[in-house]
Amino acid sequence: MNGIKNSELIVRKIKNGTVIDHISAGNAINVLRILGLKGSENLTIAVVMNVKSRKLGKKDIVKIENRELTPEEVNIIALIAPHATINIIKDYKVVAKHKVKVPEKIVGLIKCINPNCITRQSREPVTSVFTIVSREPLILKCEYCGRYITSEEVVNQLSRW
Ligand code: CTP
Ligand code: ZN
């Protein structure tokens, strides 16, 4: 009513940087793991978990001061937070807002878990290709051997800590 949202009651607005909003609840830590942010980078980071969201019921938010995400990082976040919006903040204003989009095919990013898959053979390396079976929960299918992999495995493979 007065424009103050739950999240803002907990964490103030940032001056410059990136706000990753509408992360499905429980995934903020996975977003940080994938971005490789441990808290030791000298960046001010706010992690807000389980706040009310009109669209998602509950959501997580990550605010990173003085850091803009690369398009590559944004795409990876889409895999584990398919509803996320990436807000670029300059001088307290949202100057850009991107909805993440899960790509139709994920090429070369994730390893197949089937040790016999052609993409795992060291003699003639074939780049892995996964297609989306389900976006939420995330389930991917190897184009070469048909093996399914789940979001948990994807997060483990993409995590940088
Ligand atoms: N935000 C922030 N610091 C700012 C500006 C915005 O931390 N200086 C945060 C807001 O708290 C919100 C997100 O960035 O979590 C997006 O801001 P805004 O676009 O103003 O909010 P909404 O209109 O609610 O966004 P959406 O439509 O994407 O839900
Ligand atoms: Zn495979």
Side-chain angles (χ1 to χ4, degrees):
M1 224 186 347
N2 55 8
I4 298 175
K5 283 169 281 179
N6 280 338
S7 53
E8 289 162 6
L9 296 173
I10 299 170
V11 178
R12 67 167 173 79
K13 296 206 166 213
I14 63 171
K15 184 169 187 210
N16 292 297
T18 305
V19 175
I20 309 167
D21 198 357
H22 305 293
I23 300 167
S24 20
N27 275 302
I29 295 295
N30 289 334
V31 168
L32 292 174
R33 283 174 66 195
I34 287 171
L35 293 176
L37 296 171
K38 283 188 190 163
S40 51
E41 300 80 14
N42 216 13
L43 294 169
T44 300
I45 300 172
V47 181
V48 184
M49 296 190 210
N50 293 317
V51 290
K52 270 194 205 136
S53 153
R54 256 165 289 142
K55 290 179 216 164
L56 297 177
K58 278 183 178 178
K59 67 173 180 181
D60 290 357
I61 306 169
V62 172
K63 300 189 183 194
I64 310 163
E65 238 169 357
N66 298 321
R67 164 93 138 71
E68 286 185 22
L69 299 186
T70 64
E72 200 182 34
E73 288 173 320
V74 171
N75 287 337
I76 295 175
I77 288 170
L79 288 177
I80 57 145
H83 304 287
T85 43
I86 313 288
N87 299 276
I88 306 298
I89 314 293
K90 290 206 170 113
D91 203 19
Y92 291 104
K93 290 194 194 70
V94 178
V95 295
K97 188 187 285 279
H98 311 285
K99 272 207 77 57
V100 302
K101 194 172 182 306
V102 180
E104 289 304 323
K105 279 186 186 195
I106 293 131
V107 180
L109 188 66
I110 295 154
K111 245 177 37 186
C112 186
I113 54 173
N114 169 8
N116 297 320
C117 181
I118 186 168
T119 61
R120 297 278 303 270
Q121 308 313 310
S122 50
R123 274 206 263 137
E124 36 177 332
V126 175
T127 306
S128 73
V129 181
F130 287 89
T131 50
I132 312 278
V133 175
S134 159
R135 280 164 202 263
E136 232 184 336
L138 184 71
I139 300 169
L140 305 179
K141 185 182 173 193
C142 175
E143 285 243 294
Y144 292 97
C145 74
R147 181 67 71 98
Y148 283 14
I149 71 166
T150 63
S151 64
E152 197 186 0
E153 173 65 22
V154 171
V155 168
N156 282 337
Q157 284 196 25
L158 296 179
S159 289
R160 287 149 73 189
W161 54 268

